[in-house]
Amino acid sequence: MNNEKIIDIGTQIVSKILDFPIPELYIIEQSKLPNKEITGIYSFGENEIIFNEEWVNRSQWIEVIITVFHEMRHAYQGYCIRTKTRESAETIKAWESEINCYIMPSGKNNGIDDQSYLTQEIEIDAIAFAHWIVKKEFDLKTVIPDLIKKKVNEKIKTFEIIGITQINL
């Protein structure tokens, strides 16, 4: 199965689990992205997920599906903000504040340079969601940066408590 099909399947899985519409999806040249380390990015303003074409073409399926789950969680965050539904008013307000003052990754792909990026609540939420779904659906663990491991694990517990339904692939 090619990675474009993985993107399609992954977006459908999350759309069903979280019951919200799939945003527009694009695969573009790496040179058109803010930095070459970006694998995928969600645009709140445009409600679209953009994937790095070169990265998609050279990556293993599991890396692609992790990115899809992560970016789809950002799309869900955007949906909640736009509709003012699904999450608490406090959560929506925090997510909206971070989206309005979003800190991009440095492009250096390390925890020290990316501390401000990684510690945003919207990133912790998306990392935790992707980790949780990959573990639940494929019984695989993803790497969680030490800097945010405690917060990510706390967030994963909330997903387990609310009991998001498993989708059979």
Side-chain angles (χ1 to χ4, degrees):
M1 183 177 315
N2 72 34
N3 284 342
E4 288 184 28
K5 185 70 175 163
I6 296 293
I7 290 170
D8 182 53
I9 291 169
T11 56
Q12 289 179 45
I13 289 170
V14 177
S15 176
K16 284 184 180 183
I17 289 172
L18 297 178
D19 189 27
F20 80 105
I22 297 170
E24 292 292 321
L25 304 172
Y26 298 96
I27 299 174
I28 67 169
E29 294 174 24
Q30 179 175 290
S31 63
K32 295 181 180 175
L33 293 165
N35 72 58
K36 66 182 176 105
E37 294 299 324
I38 291 176
T39 56
I41 190 168
Y42 173 69
S43 170
F44 176 77
E46 302 298 323
N47 190 36
E48 60 190 23
I49 298 174
I50 302 163
F51 296 95
N52 177 332
E53 181 178 37
E54 289 81 355
W55 177 82
V56 167
N57 289 337
R58 73 172 184 266
S59 295
Q60 297 293 313
W61 73 270
I62 190 66
E63 295 173 43
V64 174
I65 201 80
I66 291 166
T67 298
V68 169
F69 291 163
H70 179 101
E71 297 308 328
M72 279 293 287
R73 184 62 179 191
H74 285 315
Y76 170 80
Q77 294 164 349
Y79 178 82
C80 293
I81 290 166
R82 277 190 293 283
T83 62
K84 303 289 188 224
T85 61
R86 306 287 181 90
E87 300 290 334
S88 71
E90 180 182 346
T91 297
I92 290 171
K93 183 178 178 182
W95 285 352
E96 188 170 23
S97 174
E98 287 188 350
I99 284 172
N100 289 332
C101 300
Y102 189 70
I103 301 166
M104 291 287 293
S106 67
K108 297 177 183 176
N109 205 19
N110 69 64
I112 294 168
D113 291 314
D114 289 330
Q115 182 173 352
S116 296
Y117 160 74
L118 287 170
T119 56
Q120 295 173 104
E121 288 302 317
I122 55 175
E123 288 305 325
I124 290 169
D125 181 73
I127 290 166
F129 182 79
H131 179 85
W132 183 69
I133 294 297
V134 167
K135 177 70 175 142
K136 188 175 179 85
E137 296 290 337
F138 305 108
D139 197 29
L140 297 170
K141 288 186 177 181
T142 61
V143 176
I144 302 171
D146 289 336
L147 174 69
I148 58 170
K149 191 172 274 190
K150 182 179 178 188
K151 284 188 173 189
V152 167
N153 285 329
E154 288 170 1
K155 189 67 179 179
I156 289 169
K157 287 178 187 173
T158 67
F159 296 141
E160 292 169 355
I161 290 168
I162 61 173
I164 296 172
T165 308
Q166 182 169 357
I167 299 295
N168 294 322
L169 301 177

